[in-house]
Amino acid sequence: MTSVTASSLFAPIGVFDSGVGGLSVLRALQAELPHERFVYLADTGHAPYGERDEAFVVERALAITDWLRRAHGIKALVVACNTATAAAIARLRRQHPGLIVVGVEPALKPAVAVTRTGHVGVFATRGTLASGKFARLLQSLQGQARFVLQPCDGLADAIERAAAEPAPGGAWTIKMKALCARYVGAAGPFGIETGQIDTLVLGCTHYVFAQDVLRALVGPDVQLVETGAPVARHARQRLQRAGGLAPGDAVTALQLFSTGDPQALQAAAARWLAPPARPARAVDVPGA
């Protein structure tokens, strides 16, 4: 069983995503683990993952994990990206057997538990939907609901760029809203009547930051299901079992890094995280 040494109790938890979407998971982690330190890496210099091939995503996940361990001595890793989890988490666990590794996956099981019409929409990247991990998850729930799988090309990127706009209502915000409307129209109908989709799974961590737009499109009765809070609870459980929770008097901290424009990450963090983070920094993480 994985354990954390006493000298590592104050080590940070590493979190990474292809961009700012993983901040939705980080926000949940900060709420669930208020005494922990975090290091967040946005791999925006190599985004988007969802439209890359699997080998590329695996290579980036390995390189980032090596960097987080070498540069920051992390005691646990949260892969805050559905595409990277699907492609790389098994490999990460094999190559880092002593490290607590927590991933995310589209919340199909929670959706099955709450749907009343038995029709569940799943918004995700093509990389996630095409993965073997997702196929196995879907197979495990065969017969429990009807799943409508909707690849959302370009949506994560539009959310990423909209987050960096200096004022609301910019060109990328307009693009993001148009994409949301396109994919809701393609997947629907949504509602609580027989045959309608009454539950929508946000199968990419970026999509959480478009949930107000999606809510307006699908209506107030449709349930939106995301993974941040369950992932944070699971991370806490893993750390607790390993004896790795920081003590209650530990000094918390958050460091933000980006392989692209750190100002875009800083703007998104200032918008979505509390308390405000220290300035994000640019970093080069070469391939594994």
Side-chain angles (χ1 to χ4, degrees):
M1 183 178 72
T2 302
S3 62
V4 176
T5 64
S7 62
S8 299
L9 287 179
F10 297 94
I13 298 167
V15 185
F16 82 88
D17 181 32
S18 63
V20 304
L23 294 176
S24 64
V25 176
L26 177 59
R27 184 170 61 183
L29 287 164
Q30 288 182 311
E32 185 71 26
L33 298 162
H35 306 297
E36 298 291 347
R37 297 169 57 211
F38 294 94
V39 177
Y40 182 92
L41 177 72
D43 195 22
T44 48
H46 301 89
Y49 283 177
E51 292 156 44
R52 299 277 199 170
D53 63 73
E54 184 171 303
F56 178 88
V57 177
V58 171
E59 187 270 339
R60 291 309 302 159
L62 293 172
I64 290 166
T65 303
D66 287 343
W67 178 80
L68 286 168
R69 298 200 76 176
R70 184 179 67 255
H72 298 280
I74 60 170
K75 65 181 179 182
L77 174 72
V78 178
V79 183
C81 172
N82 288 272
T83 302
T85 296
I89 196 145
R91 180 82 174 270
L92 290 172
R93 286 171 174 157
R94 286 197 303 270
Q95 293 200 196
H96 299 274
L99 181 68
I100 296 170
V101 180
V102 176
V104 300
E105 66 179 16
L108 269 61
K109 293 176 184 177
V112 167
V114 299
T115 181
R116 294 294 176 263
T117 67
H119 289 64
V120 175
V122 183
F123 281 13
T125 68
R126 288 187 184 274
T128 294
L129 296 178
S131 69
K133 191 174 189 298
F134 181 81
R136 291 188 293 273
L137 174 62
L138 196 63
Q139 179 64 28
S140 73
L141 298 169
Q142 188 174 22
Q144 298 185 41
R146 178 179 178 269
F147 294 98
V148 178
L149 309 182
Q150 179 60 54
C152 298
D153 297 340
L155 182 55
D157 185 52
I159 292 168
E160 187 98 15
R161 294 176 184 272
E165 289 183 322
W172 280 104
T173 299
I174 294 170
K175 173 74 170 177
M176 179 265 290
K177 290 180 177 180
L179 287 171
C180 286
R182 179 193 302 176
Y183 297 134
V184 165
F190 287 85
I192 57 174
E193 302 298 327
T194 301
Q196 293 181 330
I197 298 170
D198 73 339
T199 306
L200 176 60
V201 175
L202 306 182
C204 171
T205 54
H206 281 75
Y207 301 169
V208 176
F209 296 126
Q211 62 183 343
D212 290 346
V213 176
L214 292 168
R215 164 66 62 209
L217 289 165
V218 301
D221 296 323
V222 174
Q223 302 185 76
L224 304 183
V225 183
E226 51 94 8
T227 60
V231 168
R233 287 193 296 270
H234 182 56
R236 180 181 181 86
Q237 291 165 2
R238 291 287 307 277
L239 283 162
Q240 196 162 25
R241 287 199 299 267
L245 289 173
D249 58 353
V251 178
T252 62
L254 171 62
Q255 297 182 75
L256 299 171
F257 296 92
S258 174
T259 60
D261 178 10
Q263 293 183 350
L265 174 59
Q266 180 64 30
R271 179 176 178 181
W272 292 322
L273 297 182
R278 292 183 293 177
R281 287 176 280 173
V283 65
D284 180 32
V285 181

